[in-house]
Amino acid sequence: MDYTDPASPETSLYIVRHAATDPDRRIGSLLVNPGGPGFGGSYLAESAPRVYADALVKSFDIIGWDPRGTGLSIPAIDCIDDYDAYFAGGDITPGSEDERQAIVDQQKEFTELCFEKTGSILPHVGTNNAARDMEMIRRALGEETISYFGFSYGSELGAVWATLYPQTVRAAVFDGASDPNSSSREMITQQRTGFERSINAFLAECASNRRCSFHNDGETEDAFDALMAQLDENPIPTYADRPVMTQGMALTAVAQAMYSDQYWDVLAEALDNAQDGDGRGLLDLFDEYFGRQPDGTYGNGLEAYLNISCADDPERKTVAEADAEVESLASVSPRFSPSTVGDYSCVFWPEALDPRVDIDAPTFAPILVIGTTGDPATPLEGSRAMAQTLANATLLVVNANQHGGYGANGCVVEVVSDYLIDLKVPKNEAPC
């Protein structure tokens, strides 16, 4: 668990290898990560032919693993069983100090439960150690240099790995990268701005299309604002055994739909139904955001996300300092950030033992960074900052409304294959 102490307890990683389907064309191994932080990556190898271009599947052993603390790795971060009790039904605009204090107390209880149930690994789940684990995987595979393909937070993980072990990088793709040098406050501001832009783009497209379920005679923005205000005052029913749909839950559902415009029709129908008092469609999107399974269980992605983020972040705000950021977030993201309470995720977390290293990645091999014009979670500005921060990188700009660019069109798929297989680097800021 602790690379500075060889006598520390061990942690086991769950790893899946999808062997290159054309051994004669095999180049080596390709490590892959889906982001999060908190998502296990083993499924990317299990589903490799459905995720990656055939040329990559033929040419690489695709290695997916569940990073420490996530998925089927042991021990996995485990804090709670009932997500509804902690993440559904809460009022993001509390009307009294007692209601506000209840939110603070609940976050404190959540953090305490995390350390009570899996405290031994939590101080060591940060990105630095995940990158050190990647180096151990490379050694186990016996490859002098290795290739990597990371999505979203997987770009940050890859950049830390390339910073710590630059000489081991054969090639690396960072898709949907965020600004590596932004503070936690700057990061959330950039992300809220990105979601605000995506929501406004969705509403504008719906307003221009009479077939959109939420068209509202073209007054789509006013209808959306009115619905969110209504849900704040009077939550609506969902399924019989589930929480009512609140404003905060609805905005989480909207966020899920912003990850790809392929969700936009689904969201429009869910919003239309919510106008009629039926919150089930929004709850379906809310559940998808949190990874709720049909049997009502969850993975540990959110619990891992919160703890890995805190392990990386050297800053610890007080409750008052977290609340003080609310107004500035609302100013850049009024639709997506109407909350009057701050983010207390790391307020009660102990000091980080191993904050994430500064990124520069002085690799000999060029790194390919992909930014997408309509990416809500990792806006193009952040991907551009990542490319500019790395010592040897080029940026590919994908025109799409989705999080991450790979798969958006044939152009980006071809560029990535040419790069990973033949190390052919496109012109910086080349469009797709």
Side-chain angles (χ1 to χ4, degrees), residues 86-103:
Y86 285 86
F87 302 109
D91 188 354
I92 63 173
T93 58
S96 69
E97 283 305 313
D98 286 345
E99 290 179 354
R100 181 183 295 273
Q101 187 60 46
I103 296 171

Side-chain angles (χ1 to χ4, degrees), residues 195 199 250-260 267 289 336 376:
F195 275 104
I199 291 170
L251 289 170
T252 299
V254 171
Q256 172 63 23
M258 292 305 101
Y259 277 88
S260 171
L267 174 62
Y289 181 88
F336 190 62

Side-chain angles (χ1 to χ4, degrees), residues 57-127:
V57 176
K58 287 180 177 178
S59 302
F60 290 97
D61 290 348
I62 295 178
I63 311 292
W65 77 103
D66 296 349
R68 55 171 56 203
T70 76
L72 296 177
S73 289
I74 301 172
I77 297 170
D78 180 26
C79 306
I80 56 174
D81 296 322
D82 183 6
Y83 271 35
D84 282 351
Y86 285 86
F87 302 109
D91 188 354
I92 63 173
T93 58
S96 69
E97 283 305 313
D98 286 345
E99 290 179 354
R100 181 183 295 273
Q101 187 60 46
I103 296 171
V104 174
D105 292 344
Q106 188 178 61
Q107 181 59 56
K108 185 173 187 291
E109 180 182 46
F110 175 85
T111 303
E112 290 172 347
L113 286 171
C114 291
F115 275 88
E116 179 183 320
K117 297 181 74 172
T118 46
S120 61
I121 195 173
L122 293 190
H124 309 292
V125 296
T127 303

Side-chain angles (χ1 to χ4, degrees), residues 216-272:
N216 284 278
D217 296 323
E219 301 298 323
T220 313
E221 291 190 3
D222 289 344
F224 180 86
D225 295 340
L227 176 60
M228 293 302 115
Q230 173 197 330
L231 293 174
D232 188 31
E233 293 295 327
N234 298 296
I236 59 176
T238 58
Y239 297 98
D241 58 343
R242 298 295 306 286
V244 294
M245 179 56 53
T246 64
Q247 180 190 34
M249 292 169 65
L251 289 170
T252 299
V254 171
Q256 172 63 23
M258 292 305 101
Y259 277 88
S260 171
D261 56 12
Q262 294 182 13
Y263 281 105
W264 286 9
D265 287 344
V266 175
L267 174 62
E269 184 175 355
L271 292 171
D272 180 52

Side-chain angles (χ1 to χ4, degrees), residues 65-207:
W65 77 103
D66 296 349
R68 55 171 56 203
T70 76
L72 296 177
S73 289
I74 301 172
I77 297 170
D78 180 26
C79 306
I80 56 174
D81 296 322
D82 183 6
Y83 271 35
D84 282 351
Y86 285 86
F87 302 109
D91 188 354
I92 63 173
T93 58
S96 69
E97 283 305 313
D98 286 345
E99 290 179 354
R100 181 183 295 273
Q101 187 60 46
I103 296 171
V104 174
D105 292 344
Q106 188 178 61
Q107 181 59 56
K108 185 173 187 291
E109 180 182 46
F110 175 85
T111 303
E112 290 172 347
L113 286 171
C114 291
F115 275 88
E116 179 183 320
K117 297 181 74 172
T118 46
S120 61
I121 195 173
L122 293 190
H124 309 292
V125 296
T127 303
N128 295 342
N129 278 331
R132 295 175 183 125
D133 293 343
M134 291 172 63
E135 167 64 2
M136 297 298 285
I137 295 172
R138 181 196 66 81
R139 293 186 190 181
L141 292 168
E143 300 190 20
E144 184 175 348
T145 61
I146 201 165
S147 302
Y148 176 77
F149 192 166
F151 297 97
S152 192
Y153 160 81
S155 298
E156 182 178 346
L157 171 59
V160 169
W161 163 69
T163 296
L164 295 177
Y165 305 102
Q167 73 282 0
T168 69
V169 179
R170 174 190 170 271
V173 178
F174 301 161
D175 186 5
S178 57
D179 183 347
N181 293 320
S182 60
S183 66
S184 58
R185 179 174 181 174
E186 291 168 339
M187 180 75 74
I188 194 170
T189 299
Q190 292 167 6
Q191 191 171 79
R192 297 290 179 90
T193 302
F195 275 104
E196 186 80 7
R197 283 198 298 250
S198 293
I199 291 170
N200 291 340
F202 158 74
L203 293 173
E205 181 172 302
C206 186

Side-chain angles (χ1 to χ4, degrees), residues 404-428:
Y406 189 71
N409 56 51
C411 169
V412 63
V413 171
E414 182 178 356
V415 169
V416 169
S417 293
D418 287 346
Y419 165 69
L420 286 174
I421 293 171
D422 299 319
L423 302 180
K424 180 180 177 183
V425 180
K427 181 180 177 181
N428 190 44

